[in-house]
Amino acid sequence: MTTDNQQDTAAAAVPTRSGFVALIGATNAGKSTLVNRLVGAKVSIVSHKVQTTRAIVRGIAIHDNAQIVFMDTPGIFKPRRRLDRAMVTTAWGGAKDADLIMLLIDSERGIKGDADTILEGLKDVHQPKVLVLNKVDQVRREDLLKLAAAANEVVAFERTFMISALTGSGCEDVMDYLAERLPEGPWYYPEDQISDLPMRQLAAEITREKLFLRLHQELPYASHVETEKWEERKDGSVRIEQVIYVERDSQKKIALGKGGEAIKAISTAARKEISEILEQPVHLFLFVKVRENWGDDPERFREMGLDFPK
C-alpha cells in the first residue's frame, strides 16, 4: 500500500524540465495555429494573410513535468522593405536563442521557395533541430516520406513528426518528445501563465487579427494596431481605446467601410474575444488614423517588439 507521503516523495524525485522551443518556417506554414494548439489557448493571432506574426510571441505549455515555452516567430521570406527585414531578423534571432528549433513545413507546398532557403540557413545554426511536417492529412503518405527524406538530407534533424495543427493529429507525440528532450531545470513562469505578452498588446493583436480577417483582400498587411488607453472601471468592466494606423487615406476608407460598417464589425468581433479572455465586460473604441510611412518610424517598431533595422 502506498502512502500519501510516499507518493509526494516520488513526485518530488521527478526532476522538472524547462526550455525555449523556437518555431520557424515560411509564411503561412501554420506556426501560430500550432502554437495555439500546443498551448491549449489562443496566444498568437491567425489569419489568411501572410506575415501576420511580426514579433516573437511566447506561448507557455505544461506537459508532464516540463514547462515548454514556444516561441512563435515571424514567417521567414525574402524581405523587400524595412519591416520585412526586421521580421526576418527577429525570426532568425529567436531561433538562435532557443534550446531547440522546430522547423515547420507545409506538406502541401513542400520544400520550395522560402522553405528551401530556411533549410539552407539552418545549416549554420547549432541548436538541436526537429522537423515538423504540417497538414499531413492533405498529402499522400509516400509523398510525405519523400519530403521528410529530402529535408533530412539537407539538415540533420533529431526527429521528424507528421502532424495536423488544425485537427491536433500527431501533436501529443510532439509534446511527449519535448517534455523529455528539454534540459532539467526550474520553470521560468508561474504554472497558470500561458503567455508573456502583456494584455494591452494581446488585445491589440486580437483587433489586428479581426482587421485582417475582415479585410485581408483589400487592406495591405502594413497596418498596425496600438492600445492607447486601458481603464478598469468600478462596475468591473474595462474601457479600451485602440488606434488602427494605416499609411494612406484610401486605406482609412477601407478600414472604416461604407457607413462605418467594416470598423463596427471588426470592433464587435474583437470586443467579444477580448471579453472572453479577460472574463469581464469590455467597452472597445477603435479609431483609424493615417500615419504615412509608419513603417519607417522606430517608435512603431518598438511598439511591435521589433528592432529597427538601419
Side-chain angles (χ1 to χ4, degrees):
M1 182 175 179
T2 304
T3 66
D4 289 342
N5 285 339
Q6 286 174 321
Q7 289 176 340
D8 291 341
T9 301
V14 178
T16 58
R17 295 178 179 271
S18 59
F20 291 83
V21 178
L23 266 75
I24 68 169
T27 56
N28 273 10
K31 297 183 301 300
S32 296
T33 301
L34 180 57
V35 167
N36 292 340
R37 168 71 62 180
L38 297 179
V39 172
K42 185 166 186 173
V43 296
S44 194
I45 69 172
V46 179
S47 86
H48 301 298
K49 202 174 231 356
V50 297
Q51 293 110 44
T52 299
T53 301
R54 287 179 175 162
I56 291 176
V57 177
R58 293 176 181 85
I60 305 157
I62 306 296
H63 191 75
D64 295 336
N65 61 318
Q67 185 179 71
I68 308 164
V69 185
F70 292 101
M71 303 162 67
D72 183 12
T73 64
I76 297 174
F77 59 104
K78 186 176 181 180
R80 296 180 177 84
R81 320 186 305 168
R82 178 174 270 135
L83 177 59
D84 298 343
R85 296 203 308 274
M87 290 160 57
V88 172
T89 299
T90 295
W92 281 117
K96 292 174 182 176
D97 288 340
D99 295 293
L100 185 143
I101 296 170
M102 284 173 51
L103 171 62
L104 191 66
I105 289 181
D106 181 332
S107 298
E108 290 184 292
R109 282 189 270 171
I111 305 172
K112 54 186 176 182
D114 294 330
D116 182 51
T117 303
I118 296 167
L119 273 172
E120 290 297 323
L122 279 176
K123 290 179 179 179
D124 300 323
V125 179
H126 301 298
Q127 280 90 336
K129 293 169 278 288
V130 170
L131 175 65
V132 179
L133 301 182
N134 191 23
K135 305 179 185 178
V136 297
D137 49 337
Q138 307 295 322
V139 181
R140 296 184 307 170
R141 181 164 180 79
E142 53 264 39
D143 293 332
L144 288 171
L145 294 175
K146 290 178 183 177
L147 178 58
N152 277 274
E153 283 181 9
V154 181
V155 174
F157 292 103
E158 290 192 350
R159 285 282 298 272
T160 297
F161 294 94
M162 299 185 183
I163 67 144
S164 168
L166 198 59
T167 68
S169 173
C171 290
E172 190 71 12
D173 293 337
V174 175
M175 294 296 283
D176 288 343
Y177 173 79
L178 294 175
E180 294 178 359
R181 180 64 180 80
L182 291 178
E184 292 184 12
W187 291 356
Y188 292 100
Y189 298 95
E191 187 171 353
D192 59 350
Q193 188 170 341
I194 61 169
S195 175
D196 69 344
L197 204 62
M199 198 58 231
R200 289 172 66 108
Q201 192 175 341
L202 179 58
E205 285 289 275
I206 287 170
T207 300
R208 188 164 67 94
E209 177 189 64
K210 305 312 176 191
L211 179 74
F212 284 170
L213 290 174
R214 174 82 185 190
L215 302 170
H216 71 96
Q217 294 294 343
E218 301 104 314
L219 196 66
Y221 87 92
S223 52
H224 175 52
V225 180
E226 290 182 15
T227 300
E228 293 208 331
K229 292 186 179 179
W230 186 292
E231 179 190 355
E232 299 280 349
R233 306 178 71 172
K234 291 181 180 179
D235 63 2
S237 66
V238 183
R239 177 189 169 92
I240 303 171
E241 293 184 13
Q242 295 178 333
V243 177
I244 299 170
Y245 288 106
V246 295
E247 293 184 310
R248 292 187 292 276
D249 280 320
S250 60
Q251 295 170 2
K252 180 177 180 178
K253 291 177 182 176
I254 292 171
L256 291 172
K258 186 177 181 180
E261 179 185 6
I263 198 71
K264 287 176 186 175
I266 293 162
S267 178
T268 299
R271 177 180 53 77
K272 182 177 183 294
E273 186 161 327
I274 295 168
S275 179
E276 289 173 354
I277 292 174
L278 292 176
E279 297 182 341
Q280 61 189 123
V282 168
H283 307 282
L284 178 63
F285 299 87
L286 299 183
F287 306 90
V288 184
K289 295 182 180 180
V290 177
R291 178 170 280 163
E292 292 183 3
N293 301 319
W294 73 260
D296 295 322
D297 182 357
E299 182 61 30
R300 302 281 76 75
F301 280 71
R302 283 192 288 272
E303 285 284 342
M304 289 185 284
L306 295 170
D307 290 330
F308 185 74
K310 304 300 182 185

